[in-house]
Amino acid sequence: MYTDFFDIKTTIEDSIKAQEKFLKSYESMIDVTNDHANQTPRELVFEEDKLKLYHYKKSTRTVSKIPTLIIYALVNTPSMMDIGEDKSFIKKLVDSGLDLYLIEWGFPTADDKYLTLDDYINIYIDDCVEYIKKEKGVDKINLLGVCQGGTFSLMYTALHPEKIKNLVTMVTPVDFSTDDGLLFKWGKYLNPDKMVEAYGVIPGEFMNTGFLTLKPLSLMVNKYVNIINDLDDPDLLSNFMTMEKWIFDSPGQAGMAYKEFLNSMYRENSLMKGEMTIGGKKVDLKNITHPILNLYAERDNQVPNAASIPIEECVASKDYTVKSFPTGHIGMFVSRRSQEEVAPTVVDWLKNHAR
């Protein structure tokens, strides 16, 4: 009677097969060497300290004579936007005719701990903008800001409005008073002064710990279980490992800038209130009268919609377009929807605002 309900031999055989499959998946992941990130052809055109400015090589006729500079967050690297030919957000922009540049911030070391927001906004970003303007012979360029890079883009445009033509913000926070999402809840109670005093440069591992806890444990485990079923697809496995590398390969954070950002944004919400100063100058978002395209992800678990939507009420732009997509924070850049809807929205809007 007992053996009718519990077949010991079959159970042992199934267990052995499962272990063999797991070991095979482990070996396959170790053997993966093809990194699918940063595949779109590009050229290093400008360097300053750790910063690198890249220009993407044209693959088709340019649809806008105004070059576009992508400004990414200091957390993680922008390689997430250029993973694999079939779903690279950057490749889609380039193939659609945008003249595209990208800032890579690099990995801060101990000698960078005194870098401030003034250094990032008024020196690094401004030097890149000036380089592009001179290289292309234009008076203004477009900015495309992603996440914290979008917040930086708002700051820069408010401080240097004469240098910007159009502004695109993607999954960009401006109102940090919301309690939606763990990161925005925790940010109000962190003590960045003590953290910077202890570390100088906040380790990337520390940042990873915070961001990884935003996801339920079941999702974090399931992604590894699910990939076992795709061992026979080397491209899929390589893409998976590329994304894993991106998740865990986080730069450290320059102490002073980190402290300024957390205190000013999460604890004081000073940018939203119009009370923020950078380099001794007030950052007044009402200085932004430029055309703006604001894109956000409806299922974003890192930048809540409540933090992104209020951009419209902060600026003075009369040409303001907002559009949401039923995806998550990363899905805005590495999904079929990104290829079919998000990137074309950016290209069409910039093309229509090229004059």
Side-chain angles (χ1 to χ4, degrees):
M1 290 290 293
Y2 181 77
T3 56
D4 290 340
F5 293 97
F6 188 72
D7 189 331
I8 297 178
K9 180 180 180 181
T10 301
T11 300
I12 293 176
E13 290 175 348
D14 289 344
S15 177
I16 292 174
K17 289 179 181 179
Q19 292 182 46
E20 289 175 345
K21 193 169 187 179
F22 176 80
L23 289 174
K24 183 181 178 182
S25 69
Y26 181 76
E27 292 172 355
S28 298
M29 290 181 182
I30 291 177
D31 291 338
V32 170
T33 58
N34 186 19
D35 188 346
H36 281 198
N38 297 323
Q39 295 292 299
T40 305
R42 62 182 186 171
E43 177 185 6
L44 177 62
V45 294
F46 176 76
E47 290 184 80
E48 185 172 13
D49 299 331
K50 305 293 194 307
L51 176 149
K52 297 181 186 296
L53 177 67
Y54 289 95
H55 183 219
Y56 290 90
K57 297 180 180 180
K58 297 179 182 178
S59 59
T60 186
R61 182 179 63 85
T62 303
V63 298
S64 172
K65 294 182 179 180
I66 306 171
T68 298
L69 172 62
I70 297 178
I71 300 177
Y72 195 75
L74 298 176
V75 180
N76 290 118
T77 67
S79 62
M80 174 268 299
M81 295 189 292
D82 191 19
I83 291 181
E85 291 189 1
D86 58 336
K87 55 182 178 181
S88 166
F89 178 76
I90 284 178
K91 185 175 189 300
K92 185 70 173 181
L93 297 183
V94 174
D95 288 350
S96 299
L98 291 189
D99 188 7
L100 205 61
Y101 290 80
L102 168 75
I103 290 176
E104 283 195 358
W105 296 112
F107 287 68
T109 54
D111 56 323
D112 298 311
K113 66 180 180 180
Y114 295 112
L115 288 177
T116 65
L117 292 181
D118 183 31
D119 294 315
Y120 282 104
I121 305 298
N122 289 320
I123 296 180
Y124 290 146
I125 293 178
D126 192 53
D127 286 350
C128 289
V129 170
E130 286 297 324
Y131 173 87
I132 297 171
K133 285 172 54 185
K134 182 178 180 181
E135 186 71 14
K136 294 297 180 178
V138 296
D139 296 325
K140 301 180 179 182
I141 72 168
N142 300 323
L143 289 186
L144 193 165
V146 178
C147 194
Q148 182 192 35
T151 310
F152 281 8
S153 297
L154 287 167
M155 295 175 182
Y156 181 84
T157 304
L159 291 169
H160 304 276
E162 74 283 357
K163 299 182 182 183
I164 303 303
K165 175 65 175 176
N166 302 298
L167 176 60
V168 179
T169 54
M170 299 185 65
V171 291
T172 292
V174 68
D175 185 357
F176 288 77
S177 67
T178 178
D179 281 334
D180 293 348
L182 290 177
L183 184 60
F184 281 70
K185 285 184 179 180
W186 291 352
K188 299 174 179 61
Y189 302 102
L190 292 176
N191 189 330
D193 299 300
K194 291 293 184 181
M195 294 162 64
V196 172
E197 182 180 340
Y199 290 109
V201 173
I202 308 301
E205 294 81 5
F206 178 88
M207 303 300 296
N208 271 335
T209 301
F211 280 106
L212 289 177
T213 53
L214 296 176
K215 292 187 176 182
L217 180 62
S218 59
L219 292 179
M220 295 171 63
V221 173
N222 285 343
K223 67 177 180 179
Y224 296 109
V225 174
N226 292 336
I227 197 63
I228 294 176
N229 297 319
D230 297 309
L231 293 176
D232 297 328
D233 189 336
D235 286 336
L236 186 61
L237 184 58
S238 184
N239 282 336
F240 174 83
M241 294 304 292
T242 299
M243 182 60 73
E244 288 297 286
K245 178 182 177 183
W246 172 79
I247 290 173
F248 290 99
D249 193 21
S250 295
Q253 301 293 297
M256 292 300 293
Y258 179 80
K259 181 167 65 174
E260 283 183 85
F261 194 83
L262 256 69
N263 282 331
S264 298
M265 301 294 108
Y266 289 98
R267 303 184 77 176
E268 301 169 6
N269 202 25
S270 60
L271 183 62
M272 178 74 176
K273 294 177 180 177
E275 300 172 354
M276 186 166 191
T277 60
I278 294 180
K281 295 182 179 179
K282 183 179 179 181
V283 184
D284 186 358
L285 295 183
K286 293 299 182 183
N287 288 338
I288 302 179
T289 59
H290 314 62
I292 295 179
L293 173 64
N294 183 26
L295 306 179
Y296 66 92
E298 294 171 9
R299 298 195 293 271
D300 199 324
N301 65 349
Q302 294 186 32
V303 178
N305 296 170
S308 296
I309 294 175
I311 290 177
E312 183 174 10
E313 64 188 78
C314 297
V315 300
S317 174
K318 295 181 180 179
D319 183 350
Y320 186 93
T321 303
V322 61
K323 187 173 177 59
S324 65
F325 297 89
T327 185
H329 191 85
I330 305 303
M332 290 285 281
F333 306 97
V334 292
S335 66
R336 178 176 297 179
R337 189 176 299 279
S338 173
Q339 291 286 298
E340 297 177 354
E341 299 179 33
V342 183
T345 297
V346 173
V347 173
D348 291 343
W349 188 85
L350 287 176
K351 180 180 177 181
N352 292 333
H353 288 78
R355 293 183 179 180

